[in-house]
């Protein structure tokens, strides 16, 4: 055989071997990624292919449940911490019947609570009508149907009426993780603030209508934006710059962004707020929200308002996925300088709002954007205001008083025996 013919055969054989190796390796990789290891257990993955597979790992899914009644920044911070323990956060929203059976009547119904939870920017999916206790059946459903890896709860105890731990099964299964409770706020605390106002004025109020008016009568005086009012006196929240950074989006608008501005009190942040913010965000590329000072709200809505102080209200709004940035302590009047400073393209307000009965254009807080032709009033999707929430409490305040007394006792016990929990 001639020498050059032999060399040609050897070259062709070498090429065939190389191509064959590549095809075989690709086939092994495809089988492994598609669940093929069971079919070819005797073929281990080469190191490179193993690295590729690790990069394509299934996301870690974590589950957290709750009542989320009168949802506040403490709830949002718990969801933020839970999301940090995985790649995807699934949230169970407990049904009205389960809450009533285990804690007492909820202030906000399920459909409103679902709107609130879905709007939190750290939530990826929700499960409605979740059970209050993690039963073995529901736990297996979480693991097998929802692909949940871990069940999350705060460091405060969650006990069933019989005194047992609601998360005992998850802990026994080794699939439980704990986060730090947000200090200074709870639904019990917020309801207590309103009930405190009721007790303070009980000698002057002879019926529910007069109690309700306590929370909605303004002073009719000139608004002063220079400081904090005296309406919120019992909050134990300790604001820190770190918490604000944790809640912030840490990004600003682009040079050509259409910036929409909306302001308000956003007290007792509720589903009505969320839905109007959603509509406002759809009108532009960046939603800037102004949060009025405590003193501004007290001057326009009465000395018992706001229920939540400025920093508490700001965090609740910042946690909303439709909001890009907030102005903490926004002025009552939207001025030309403010519009220029923030490059605002459109100023909006909802049709359902409190204290919007302005009679003179020169006193209207939106007089400037109106004159500039950049003001729009949006049809509010829900007929809910902060006073709506307060009326629910006042109308059934005896039931909520009993609920709070029971819960306050357990919270006192928690604070007396709590220890430091790392993380946040």
């Amino acid at each position: 055989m001639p020498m050059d013919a032999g060399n040609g055969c050897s070259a062709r054989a070498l090429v065939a071997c190389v191509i064959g190796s590549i095809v075989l390796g690709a086939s092994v990789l495809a089988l492994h990624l598609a669940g093929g290891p069971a079919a070819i257990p005797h073929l281990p993955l080469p190191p490179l292919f193993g690295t590729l597979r690790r990069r394509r790992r299934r996301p870690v899914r974590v589950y957290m449940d709750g009542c989320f009644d009168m949802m506040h920044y403490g709830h949002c911070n718990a969801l933020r911490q839970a999301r940090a323990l995985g790649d995807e956060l699934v949230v169970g929203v407990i049904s009205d019947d389960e809450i009533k059976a285990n804690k007492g009547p909820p202030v906000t119904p399920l459909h409103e609570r679902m709107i609130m939870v879905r709007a939190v920017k750290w939530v990826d999916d929700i499960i409605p009508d979740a059970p209050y206790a993690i039963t073995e059946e529901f736990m297996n459903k979480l693991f097998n149907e929802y692909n949940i890896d871990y069940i999350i709860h705060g460091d405060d105890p969650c006990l069933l009426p019989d005194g047992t731990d609601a998360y005992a099964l998850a802990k026994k299964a080794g699939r439980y993780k704990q986060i730090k409770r947000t200090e200074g706020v709870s639904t019990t605390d917020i309801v207590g603030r309103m009930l405190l106002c009721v007790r303070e004025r009980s000698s002057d109020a002879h019926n529910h209508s007069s109690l309700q008016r306590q929370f909605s009568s303004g002073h009719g005086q000139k608004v002063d934006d220079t400081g904090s009012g005296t309406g919120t006196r019992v909050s134990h929240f300790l604001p820190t710059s770190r918490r604000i950074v944790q809640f912030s989006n840490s990004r600003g608008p682009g040079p050509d962004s259409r910036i929409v501005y909306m302001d308000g009190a956003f007290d007792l942040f509720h589903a009505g707020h969320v839905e109007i913010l959603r509509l406002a965000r759809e009108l532009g590329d960046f939603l800037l929200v102004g949060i009025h000072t405590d003193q501004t709200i007290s001057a326009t809505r009465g000395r018992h308002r706001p229920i939540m102080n400025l920093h508490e209200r700001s965090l609740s709004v910042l946690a909303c996925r439709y909001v890009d940035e907030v102005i903490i302590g926004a002025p009552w009047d939207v001025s030309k300088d403010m519009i220029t400073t923030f490059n605002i393209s459109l100023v909006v307000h909802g049709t359902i709002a409190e204290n919007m009965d302005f009679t003179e254009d020169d006193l209207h807080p939106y007089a400037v954007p109106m004159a500039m032709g950049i003001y729009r009033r949006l049809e509010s999707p829900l007929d809910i205001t902060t006073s709506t929430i307060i009326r629910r409490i006042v109308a059934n305040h005896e039931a909520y008083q009993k609920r709070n007394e029971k819960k306050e006792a357990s919270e006192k016990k928690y604070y007396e025996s709590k220890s430091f929990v790392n993380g946040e």
Side-chain angles (χ1 to χ4, degrees), residues 226-246:
T226 57
S228 296
T230 59
T232 304
R233 303 183 184 183
V234 293
S235 171
H236 302 292
F237 174 55
L238 300 175
T240 64
S241 59
R242 182 165 174 258
R243 179 72 75 231
I244 294 174
V245 170
Q246 289 170 337

PDB file of all heavy atoms in Angstrom, residues 226-246:
ATOM      1  N   THR A 226     -43.608  71.118  57.919  1.00  0.00           N
ATOM      2  CA  THR A 226     -42.276  71.244  58.508  1.00  0.00           C
ATOM      3  C   THR A 226     -41.908  70.169  59.497  1.00  0.00           C
ATOM      4  O   THR A 226     -40.749  70.043  59.875  1.00  0.00           O
ATOM      5  CB  THR A 226     -42.151  72.606  59.219  1.00  0.00           C
ATOM      6  OG1 THR A 226     -43.184  72.703  60.206  1.00  0.00           O
ATOM      7  CG2 THR A 226     -42.300  73.747  58.210  1.00  0.00           C
ATOM      8  N   GLY A 227     -42.856  69.373  59.972  1.00  0.00           N
ATOM      9  CA  GLY A 227     -42.478  68.392  60.984  1.00  0.00           C
ATOM     10  C   GLY A 227     -43.467  67.272  61.101  1.00  0.00           C
ATOM     11  O   GLY A 227     -44.330  67.081  60.269  1.00  0.00           O
ATOM     12  N   SER A 228     -43.330  66.520  62.179  1.00  0.00           N
ATOM     13  CA  SER A 228     -44.209  65.387  62.439  1.00  0.00           C
ATOM     14  C   SER A 228     -45.316  65.796  63.382  1.00  0.00           C
ATOM     15  O   SER A 228     -45.106  66.562  64.314  1.00  0.00           O
ATOM     16  CB  SER A 228     -43.421  64.222  63.054  1.00  0.00           C
ATOM     17  OG  SER A 228     -42.467  63.751  62.146  1.00  0.00           O
ATOM     18  N   GLY A 229     -46.514  65.296  63.124  1.00  0.00           N
ATOM     19  CA  GLY A 229     -47.656  65.621  63.958  1.00  0.00           C
ATOM     20  C   GLY A 229     -47.712  64.756  65.203  1.00  0.00           C
ATOM     21  O   GLY A 229     -46.830  63.955  65.472  1.00  0.00           O
ATOM     22  N   THR A 230     -48.782  64.921  65.938  1.00  0.00           N
ATOM     23  CA  THR A 230     -48.924  64.183  67.189  1.00  0.00           C
ATOM     24  C   THR A 230     -49.961  63.084  67.090  1.00  0.00           C
ATOM     25  O   THR A 230     -50.350  62.510  68.092  1.00  0.00           O
ATOM     26  CB  THR A 230     -49.320  65.151  68.313  1.00  0.00           C
ATOM     27  OG1 THR A 230     -50.551  65.791  67.944  1.00  0.00           O
ATOM     28  CG2 THR A 230     -48.252  66.182  68.545  1.00  0.00           C
ATOM     29  N   GLY A 231     -50.425  62.789  65.861  1.00  0.00           N
ATOM     30  CA  GLY A 231     -51.479  61.803  65.689  1.00  0.00           C
ATOM     31  C   GLY A 231     -51.040  60.385  66.009  1.00  0.00           C
ATOM     32  O   GLY A 231     -51.813  59.593  66.508  1.00  0.00           O
ATOM     33  N   THR A 232     -49.794  60.039  65.709  1.00  0.00           N
ATOM     34  CA  THR A 232     -49.320  58.677  65.930  1.00  0.00           C
ATOM     35  C   THR A 232     -48.384  58.680  67.131  1.00  0.00           C
ATOM     36  O   THR A 232     -47.277  59.180  67.050  1.00  0.00           O
ATOM     37  CB  THR A 232     -48.577  58.165  64.684  1.00  0.00           C
ATOM     38  OG1 THR A 232     -49.442  58.278  63.579  1.00  0.00           O
ATOM     39  CG2 THR A 232     -48.143  56.741  64.837  1.00  0.00           C
ATOM     40  N   ARG A 233     -48.835  58.123  68.250  1.00  0.00           N
ATOM     41  CA  ARG A 233     -48.069  58.263  69.493  1.00  0.00           C
ATOM     42  C   ARG A 233     -47.595  56.941  70.072  1.00  0.00           C
ATOM     43  O   ARG A 233     -46.813  56.946  71.014  1.00  0.00           O
ATOM     44  CB  ARG A 233     -48.928  58.971  70.541  1.00  0.00           C
ATOM     45  CG  ARG A 233     -49.448  60.338  70.096  1.00  0.00           C
ATOM     46  CD  ARG A 233     -50.226  61.010  71.199  1.00  0.00           C
ATOM     47  NE  ARG A 233     -50.799  62.272  70.765  1.00  0.00           N
ATOM     48  CZ  ARG A 233     -51.481  63.089  71.540  1.00  0.00           C
ATOM     49  NH1 ARG A 233     -51.667  62.773  72.806  1.00  0.00           N
ATOM     50  NH2 ARG A 233     -51.978  64.204  71.085  1.00  0.00           N
ATOM     51  N   VAL A 234     -48.088  55.834  69.575  1.00  0.00           N
ATOM     52  CA  VAL A 234     -47.791  54.575  70.248  1.00  0.00           C
ATOM     53  C   VAL A 234     -46.967  53.617  69.394  1.00  0.00           C
ATOM     54  O   VAL A 234     -46.827  52.458  69.745  1.00  0.00           O
ATOM     55  CB  VAL A 234     -49.093  53.879  70.691  1.00  0.00           C
ATOM     56  CG1 VAL A 234     -49.775  54.675  71.776  1.00  0.00           C
ATOM     57  CG2 VAL A 234     -50.044  53.685  69.510  1.00  0.00           C
ATOM     58  N   SER A 235     -46.405  54.065  68.284  1.00  0.00           N
ATOM     59  CA  SER A 235     -45.577  53.187  67.464  1.00  0.00           C
ATOM     60  C   SER A 235     -44.253  52.908  68.164  1.00  0.00           C
ATOM     61  O   SER A 235     -43.634  53.794  68.748  1.00  0.00           O
ATOM     62  CB  SER A 235     -45.301  53.842  66.108  1.00  0.00           C
ATOM     63  OG  SER A 235     -44.344  53.093  65.404  1.00  0.00           O
ATOM     64  N   HIS A 236     -43.816  51.649  68.113  1.00  0.00           N
ATOM     65  CA  HIS A 236     -42.538  51.258  68.701  1.00  0.00           C
ATOM     66  C   HIS A 236     -41.492  50.985  67.624  1.00  0.00           C
ATOM     67  O   HIS A 236     -40.449  50.398  67.913  1.00  0.00           O
ATOM     68  CB  HIS A 236     -42.730  50.011  69.575  1.00  0.00           C
ATOM     69  CG  HIS A 236     -43.727  50.205  70.669  1.00  0.00           C
ATOM     70  ND1 HIS A 236     -43.515  51.033  71.742  1.00  0.00           N
ATOM     71  CD2 HIS A 236     -44.973  49.677  70.837  1.00  0.00           C
ATOM     72  CE1 HIS A 236     -44.582  51.006  72.538  1.00  0.00           C
ATOM     73  NE2 HIS A 236     -45.472  50.196  72.011  1.00  0.00           N
ATOM     74  N   PHE A 237     -41.790  51.388  66.400  1.00  0.00           N
ATOM     75  CA  PHE A 237     -40.886  51.135  65.284  1.00  0.00           C
ATOM     76  C   PHE A 237     -39.628  51.988  65.410  1.00  0.00           C
ATOM     77  O   PHE A 237     -39.688  53.184  65.699  1.00  0.00           O
ATOM     78  CB  PHE A 237     -41.606  51.454  63.970  1.00  0.00           C
ATOM     79  CG  PHE A 237     -40.733  51.356  62.753  1.00  0.00           C
ATOM     80  CD1 PHE A 237     -40.030  50.196  62.473  1.00  0.00           C
ATOM     81  CD2 PHE A 237     -40.623  52.414  61.871  1.00  0.00           C
ATOM     82  CE1 PHE A 237     -39.235  50.098  61.349  1.00  0.00           C
ATOM     83  CE2 PHE A 237     -39.836  52.327  60.743  1.00  0.00           C
ATOM     84  CZ  PHE A 237     -39.140  51.170  60.477  1.00  0.00           C
ATOM     85  N   LEU A 238     -38.466  51.345  65.191  1.00  0.00           N
ATOM     86  CA  LEU A 238     -37.192  52.057  65.232  1.00  0.00           C
ATOM     87  C   LEU A 238     -36.618  52.069  63.818  1.00  0.00           C
ATOM     88  O   LEU A 238     -35.998  51.103  63.378  1.00  0.00           O
ATOM     89  CB  LEU A 238     -36.232  51.354  66.199  1.00  0.00           C
ATOM     90  CG  LEU A 238     -36.706  51.257  67.652  1.00  0.00           C
ATOM     91  CD1 LEU A 238     -35.715  50.436  68.468  1.00  0.00           C
ATOM     92  CD2 LEU A 238     -36.871  52.646  68.249  1.00  0.00           C
ATOM     93  N   PRO A 239     -36.827  53.158  63.072  1.00  0.00           N
ATOM     94  CA  PRO A 239     -36.378  53.191  61.673  1.00  0.00           C
ATOM     95  C   PRO A 239     -34.862  53.262  61.571  1.00  0.00           C
ATOM     96  O   PRO A 239     -34.201  53.952  62.352  1.00  0.00           O
ATOM     97  CB  PRO A 239     -37.030  54.467  61.124  1.00  0.00           C
ATOM     98  CG  PRO A 239     -37.216  55.339  62.325  1.00  0.00           C
ATOM     99  CD  PRO A 239     -37.498  54.408  63.469  1.00  0.00           C
ATOM    100  N   THR A 240     -34.308  52.552  60.614  1.00  0.00           N
ATOM    101  CA  THR A 240     -32.869  52.603  60.343  1.00  0.00           C
ATOM    102  C   THR A 240     -32.656  52.820  58.850  1.00  0.00           C
ATOM    103  O   THR A 240     -33.503  52.455  58.029  1.00  0.00           O
ATOM    104  CB  THR A 240     -32.165  51.296  60.759  1.00  0.00           C
ATOM    105  OG1 THR A 240     -32.670  50.216  59.953  1.00  0.00           O
ATOM    106  CG2 THR A 240     -32.387  50.990  62.229  1.00  0.00           C
ATOM    107  N   SER A 241     -31.515  53.391  58.505  1.00  0.00           N
ATOM    108  CA  SER A 241     -31.198  53.609  57.095  1.00  0.00           C
ATOM    109  C   SER A 241     -31.033  52.277  56.370  1.00  0.00           C
ATOM    110  O   SER A 241     -31.358  52.151  55.181  1.00  0.00           O
ATOM    111  CB  SER A 241     -29.928  54.453  56.966  1.00  0.00           C
ATOM    112  OG  SER A 241     -28.835  53.811  57.608  1.00  0.00           O
ATOM    113  N   ARG A 242     -30.559  51.267  57.094  1.00  0.00           N
ATOM    114  CA  ARG A 242     -30.357  49.953  56.481  1.00  0.00           C
ATOM    115  C   ARG A 242     -31.678  49.347  56.022  1.00  0.00           C
ATOM    116  O   ARG A 242     -31.767  48.749  54.955  1.00  0.00           O
ATOM    117  CB  ARG A 242     -29.668  49.021  57.481  1.00  0.00           C
ATOM    118  CG  ARG A 242     -29.369  47.634  56.927  1.00  0.00           C
ATOM    119  CD  ARG A 242     -28.379  46.916  57.830  1.00  0.00           C
ATOM    120  NE  ARG A 242     -28.187  45.533  57.402  1.00  0.00           N
ATOM    121  CZ  ARG A 242     -28.751  44.487  57.985  1.00  0.00           C
ATOM    122  NH1 ARG A 242     -29.550  44.686  59.023  1.00  0.00           N
ATOM    123  NH2 ARG A 242     -28.529  43.278  57.566  1.00  0.00           N
ATOM    124  N   ARG A 243     -32.724  49.523  56.841  1.00  0.00           N
ATOM    125  CA  ARG A 243     -34.031  48.972  56.468  1.00  0.00           C
ATOM    126  C   ARG A 243     -34.552  49.649  55.203  1.00  0.00           C
ATOM    127  O   ARG A 243     -35.109  48.991  54.324  1.00  0.00           O
ATOM    128  CB  ARG A 243     -35.020  49.152  57.611  1.00  0.00           C
ATOM    129  CG  ARG A 243     -36.405  48.636  57.309  1.00  0.00           C
ATOM    130  CD  ARG A 243     -36.472  47.116  57.284  1.00  0.00           C
ATOM    131  NE  ARG A 243     -36.428  46.574  58.614  1.00  0.00           N
ATOM    132  CZ  ARG A 243     -35.584  45.609  59.005  1.00  0.00           C
ATOM    133  NH1 ARG A 243     -34.726  45.098  58.149  1.00  0.00           N
ATOM    134  NH2 ARG A 243     -35.587  45.145  60.226  1.00  0.00           N
ATOM    135  N   ILE A 244     -34.379  50.966  55.104  1.00  0.00           N
ATOM    136  CA  ILE A 244     -34.841  51.681  53.908  1.00  0.00           C
ATOM    137  C   ILE A 244     -34.094  51.190  52.683  1.00  0.00           C
ATOM    138  O   ILE A 244     -34.680  50.974  51.609  1.00  0.00           O
ATOM    139  CB  ILE A 244     -34.665  53.199  54.098  1.00  0.00           C
ATOM    140  CG1 ILE A 244     -35.593  53.700  55.205  1.00  0.00           C
ATOM    141  CG2 ILE A 244     -34.952  53.945  52.793  1.00  0.00           C
ATOM    142  CD1 ILE A 244     -35.406  55.151  55.562  1.00  0.00           C
ATOM    143  N   VAL A 245     -32.792  50.966  52.819  1.00  0.00           N
ATOM    144  CA  VAL A 245     -31.991  50.456  51.695  1.00  0.00           C
ATOM    145  C   VAL A 245     -32.477  49.060  51.293  1.00  0.00           C
ATOM    146  O   VAL A 245     -32.574  48.745  50.101  1.00  0.00           O
ATOM    147  CB  VAL A 245     -30.493  50.427  52.074  1.00  0.00           C
ATOM    148  CG1 VAL A 245     -29.688  49.670  51.025  1.00  0.00           C
ATOM    149  CG2 VAL A 245     -29.961  51.848  52.226  1.00  0.00           C
ATOM    150  N   GLN A 246     -32.791  48.219  52.273  1.00  0.00           N
ATOM    151  CA  GLN A 246     -33.269  46.863  51.979  1.00  0.00           C
ATOM    152  C   GLN A 246     -34.565  46.880  51.180  1.00  0.00           C
ATOM    153  O   GLN A 246     -34.805  46.021  50.340  1.00  0.00           O
ATOM    154  CB  GLN A 246     -33.470  46.093  53.287  1.00  0.00           C
ATOM    155  CG  GLN A 246     -32.180  45.722  53.992  1.00  0.00           C
ATOM    156  CD  GLN A 246     -32.432  45.178  55.392  1.00  0.00           C
ATOM    157  OE1 GLN A 246     -33.461  45.446  56.015  1.00  0.00           O
ATOM    158  NE2 GLN A 246     -31.487  44.395  55.896  1.00  0.00           N
TER     159      GLN A 246
END
